[in-house]
Amino acid sequence: MPENLRITRRAADRLLAGHLWIYRTDLESSTATPGALVTIVDPRGLPLGTALYSSASKIAARLISRVPDLSREQYLQDVRTRIAAALQLRRELAPVTAANNAHRLIFSEADNLPGILADRYNDLVLLQLLTQATAQDDVREAVVEALREGLAPNNEPLTIWERPDPRIRELEQLPAPTPGPLFTTHDSVAPDGLSFRTSAEESASHHELAPTTTTFTLNNLHFSYNAAAGQKTGAFLDQRLNYAAAAAHVRASSRTHRALDICTYQGGFALHLAEVCDLVTGVDASRAALEAADHNLTLNPHLRAATDWIEADAFDLLRAYDTQNERYDAIVLDPPAFAKSKRAAEGAARGYKELNLRAIRMIQPGGTLITNSCSHHVSLEDFTAIVASAAADAGRRIQLLETRAAAPDHPEVLTLPETRYLKCLICRID
């Protein structure tokens, strides 16, 4: 029987309006077992549903059902059912093709699976179990079983690795996962060629046989992925359609000589712009990311542009280029999230303002600005106002051609604004 967690009236109203998170400051009682299923009750003791409890996170509980007193067995069955629904949605919105064989499979609350993320890169799947309640063996086994049934029912090539986010693992006080794949069709330990990791000995055996690298495609471009190195992705999957849209707008502008991709990471925007531009420069502060970007460049020998990479701080480089009167036909700004909390939003706004001001000053008349923010604490309205203010300070007329968000395999929950985090503005600069 789940334990009860009493919350404030304000928090109860927020849940009734469709939000799914209970913050630690919302609790009137907080004596629940770490990682437990808890029944959420309002100040009068009326049940509002079942949630996953964390004793460490600022998000103390994440609602998983409007049904109270959900048992562990019922929750695990819901996990399997919801994963099947999530995979079906991806077949509709982001089907695997020769041109695109990488997408997000499970997007946490957006798929009614709080604390669970999964991304597919060709024949590799990267799983993240992000909370005390989901980073448990029974959930892990249910997720792997559902992914195997949905993605490899006939023993198609598939390997599932668990790749927790180090920062979240520390915040949630989670143990490190056992090394080795969770599942692979690339060994012969089991008679049917399939396996689920059940012991350290088997894990070590599977680790030697299972692949950690693959090549995947986005918009007919090839990218390399290494599950054992770097960030969790070699090309941000949420930007997949924005990569293509950026290249299409730059091509349409007829301003296609020089392009600059700031915070290129492993070359996502840069390689797409290299299909339409003559000269492309990708900039990142990480040498390892640029080495991966250069490797991705070699996977696409058909690209027309002369492409180079610069290891530099984005602010320092744009400041120097602006002073030197460097000019470009297209500039991409895709920095990491500047605002990790509401308190950081003001500082983030200053950072976005400076990057956009410098870029707008450097773009040739008729050129294209592709500017992005992945800080959910900076709203689309605020981000648009920041870019408009930068254009006004630069004395340039700016036309907003398109406002974009994450690809549809990263769906949003309208009652959970935190799921709308990515903003992409494509603008023409006069």
Side-chain angles (χ1 to χ4, degrees), residues 14-298:
R14 194 166 62 242
L15 289 187
L16 292 171
H19 206 273
L20 301 173
W21 293 351
I22 297 103
Y23 299 97
R24 193 151 303 280
T25 53
D26 294 329
L27 302 183
E28 290 190 347
S29 64
S30 58
T31 55
T33 304
L37 294 180
V38 293
T39 293
I40 304 300
V41 299
D42 70 9
R44 297 169 296 173
L46 298 177
L48 301 176
T50 303
L52 308 176
Y53 177 70
S54 169
S55 62
S57 173
K58 290 182 179 179
I59 304 173
R62 299 167 187 259
L63 199 70
I64 56 169
S65 175
R66 299 287 171 177
V67 177
D69 300 328
L70 206 68
S71 70
R72 192 78 184 176
E73 291 72 21
Q74 289 172 312
Y75 167 59
L76 294 174
Q77 184 54 50
D78 283 348
V79 166
R80 296 183 185 94
T81 301
R82 292 170 185 180
I83 289 176
L87 297 183
Q88 179 57 37
L89 183 65
R90 272 57 181 190
R91 294 186 192 102
E92 299 168 9
L93 299 178
V96 173
T97 64
N100 288 286
N101 62 8
H103 49 249
R104 174 147 289 180
L105 298 171
I106 302 171
F107 192 26
S108 197
E109 279 83 357
D111 287 304
N112 208 11
L113 289 160
I116 304 174
L117 290 178
D119 289 327
R120 177 177 188 161
Y121 305 93
N122 193 7
D123 55 347
L124 297 187
V125 170
L126 275 296
L127 174 66
Q128 294 190 59
L129 302 176
L130 302 170
T131 70
Q132 293 176 349
T134 56
Q136 298 189 26
D137 285 342
D138 57 352
V139 176
R140 191 173 284 112
E141 187 166 357
V143 172
V144 171
E145 177 187 346
L147 290 174
R148 181 188 66 78
E149 290 177 354
L151 302 177
N154 299 307
N155 202 25
E156 293 86 349
L158 179 69
T159 299
I160 302 173
W161 293 93
E162 185 174 353
R163 185 74 187 277
D165 183 296
R167 177 175 169 271
I168 293 177
R169 185 162 65 85
E170 181 179 356
L171 291 174
E172 283 279 333
Q173 300 175 3
L174 303 177
T178 303
L182 293 174
F183 168 84
T184 183
T185 56
H186 291 265
D187 66 57
S188 56
V189 173
D192 59 0
L194 307 181
S195 65
F196 177 77
R197 188 183 69 203
T198 57
S199 70
E201 182 179 350
E202 286 186 6
S203 176
S205 172
H206 299 176
H207 194 298
E208 295 175 1
L209 295 166
T212 59
T213 62
T214 193
T215 298
F216 64 94
T217 57
L218 294 178
N219 309 313
N220 277 314
L221 290 179
H222 302 294
F223 293 85
S224 178
Y225 179 76
N226 187 347
Q231 295 186 28
K232 69 180 181 67
T233 176
F236 290 106
L237 300 182
D238 52 4
Q239 291 279 28
R240 174 174 56 89
L241 298 183
N242 299 337
Y243 291 150
H249 278 284
V250 173
R251 180 190 288 113
S253 75
S254 299
R255 296 285 187 176
T256 58
H257 182 51
R258 296 182 77 196
L260 181 66
D261 180 13
I262 297 295
C263 301
T264 188
Y265 186 47
Q266 295 187 2
F269 277 107
L271 296 185
H272 282 77
L273 292 179
E275 291 188 293
V276 300
C277 294
D278 301 320
L279 304 170
V280 175
T281 298
V283 178
D284 204 278
S286 167
R287 177 177 292 272
L290 294 178
E291 290 173 350
D294 195 53
H295 176 63
N296 289 334
L297 179 62
T298 67

